[in-house]
Amino acid sequence: MTRQFHIEDRARGRIVATGEIDASGLVIWDETETSVREELSDLAEQIQRGFAAGYNGGQLRPPLEWFEL
């Protein structure tokens, strides 16, 4: 089972990345904007920890937030 999510830049009101967590807990990126490409590894770790803790969204670095779809 995969769980889809997106990352939103709340300051700009835009979705800057979309992806999913696969059955083994790995993040697979579908689409990303240039503004977040250099930090995808760090963002993936934070999202993986969030899912593992039972969350379906949360604050990343301001103004970024992630949400399960």
Side-chain angles (χ1 to χ4, degrees):
M1 179 179 105
T2 62
R3 298 171 73 180
Q4 297 180 328
F5 66 88
H6 70 244
I7 298 175
E8 183 176 344
D9 182 329
R10 302 292 278 180
R12 296 186 311 160
R14 292 178 53 124
I15 294 173
V16 295
T18 61
E20 59 188 40
I21 299 275
D22 69 10
S24 63
L26 296 176
V27 171
I28 301 164
W29 297 105
D30 294 327
E31 296 182 33
T32 60
E33 283 193 0
T34 304
S35 63
V36 295
R37 284 204 181 116
E38 291 185 12
E39 56 189 313
L40 290 178
S41 179
D42 291 336
L43 296 172
E45 287 180 30
Q46 293 177 54
I47 293 168
Q48 287 169 320
R49 284 194 303 265
F51 273 120
Y55 299 121
N56 61 359
Q59 182 77 45
L60 297 166
R61 69 155 174 79
L64 301 181
E65 295 182 12
W66 70 276
F67 301 93
E68 183 176 7
L69 302 177

